[in-house]
Amino acid sequence: MEINTISQVSPIQTSGVAKTQTPAQVTKEFGSFLSDAINQVNQAQVESAKLGDMFAAGQIDNIDQVMVAGVKATNMLQMTLQVRNKVIESYQEIMRMSI
């Protein structure tokens, strides 16, 4: 089992001419980023469940591998929920602002 790292996120480019993007492009990129992140969380949950089932069936004996996959999936889900909560909180704060 291979553990994905945060280093897969591309670094911000600070050299050269600043690239301007339209709000639609930024929204599309952000939506794509969120979609990919949710897919990774789902994949971790599926992998954890698969390893748990394999361990229960006696197909694998390494409980460490099962526990690491479970903790990884739980942490990813908790982080996703916290990001969701912050997004909702930010949206609600924006909606409370007077113009």
Side-chain angles (χ1 to χ4, degrees):
M1 180 174 87
E2 181 180 317
I3 297 177
N4 295 330
T5 61
I6 295 177
S7 64
Q8 293 175 346
V9 178
S10 60
I12 298 172
Q13 298 177 354
T14 56
S15 62
V17 178
K19 199 166 84 169
T20 58
Q21 295 180 328
T22 65
Q25 291 171 325
V26 172
T27 302
K28 185 177 179 181
E29 287 179 13
F30 183 69
S32 176
F33 173 76
L34 286 179
S35 178
D36 290 344
I38 290 172
N39 286 336
Q40 287 180 357
V41 171
N42 184 49
Q43 185 179 13
Q45 292 285 331
V46 168
E47 180 70 20
S48 175
K50 184 177 87 172
L51 287 174
D53 291 344
M54 290 173 66
F55 182 76
Q59 295 174 349
I60 57 174
D61 294 328
N62 190 354
I63 187 68
D64 296 338
Q65 184 180 13
V66 177
M67 293 302 295
V68 167
V71 170
K72 176 184 168 188
T74 300
N75 287 343
M76 289 176 74
L77 182 60
Q78 289 298 319
M79 185 172 163
T80 302
L81 290 174
Q82 291 300 320
V83 169
R84 181 205 65 160
N85 291 342
K86 287 294 181 182
V87 168
I88 291 172
E89 183 180 315
S90 298
Y91 174 77
Q92 290 172 342
E93 186 66 29
I94 290 169
M95 294 308 290
R96 282 190 289 253
M97 288 182 183
S98 61
I99 298 177

